[in-house]
């Protein structure tokens, strides 16, 4: 879904909820060019893994020795990390109960 930045300002909470509940990224555009995107926490974590080269996208998808195979397996100060969730309900524009 592509949304102009000016429109995204007015609908920010709705767009965040949409991404959180559907997992569908929202591309923020200016003059038709993608400037940024809203993505799910899972997609962000995957992107961060790729950028830090902990995830090999070659055939087999190997991870360097000593690295966890999945981000959720990395222990944190209070145990394994868990994806964040938003406690809200997505309501498309014009939705009325």
């Amino acid at each position: 879904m592509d949304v102009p930045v000016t429109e995204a300002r007015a609908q920010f909470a709705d767009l965040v909820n949409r991404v959180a509940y559907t997992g569908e990224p929202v591309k923020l555009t200016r003059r038709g060019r993608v400037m940024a995107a809203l993505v799910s926490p899972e997609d962000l974590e995957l992107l961060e893994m790729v950028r830090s080269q902990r995830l090999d996208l070659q055939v087999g998808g190997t991870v360097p020795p000593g690295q966890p195979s999945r981000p959720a397996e990395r222990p944190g100060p209070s145990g394994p990390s868990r994806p964040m969730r938003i406690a809200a309900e997505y309501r498309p524009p014009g939705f009325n109960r």
Side-chain angles (χ1 to χ4, degrees), residues 28-84:
L28 305 176
T29 62
R30 183 178 292 147
R31 295 187 198 109
R33 282 189 59 216
V34 176
M35 302 302 289
L38 298 174
V39 297
S40 68
E42 294 84 7
D43 287 352
L44 176 61
E45 195 168 24
L46 180 61
L47 176 61
E48 288 173 339
M49 287 178 63
V50 170
R51 282 191 168 187
S52 68
Q53 299 176 352
R54 288 182 294 177
L55 180 64
D56 182 2
L57 296 179
Q58 300 297 322
V59 176
T62 59
V63 177
Q67 293 290 326
S69 61
R70 293 180 22 201
E73 294 174 7
R74 281 181 285 160
S78 62
S81 63
R82 295 192 176 134
M84 293 182 358

Side-chain angles (χ1 to χ4, degrees), residues 3 7 24 42 47 56 59 61 68 74 89 92 95 97:
V3 178
E7 186 180 320
E24 176 187 354
E42 294 84 7
L47 176 61
D56 182 2
V59 176
R74 281 181 285 160
E89 179 181 340
F95 177 84
R97 270 197 193 200

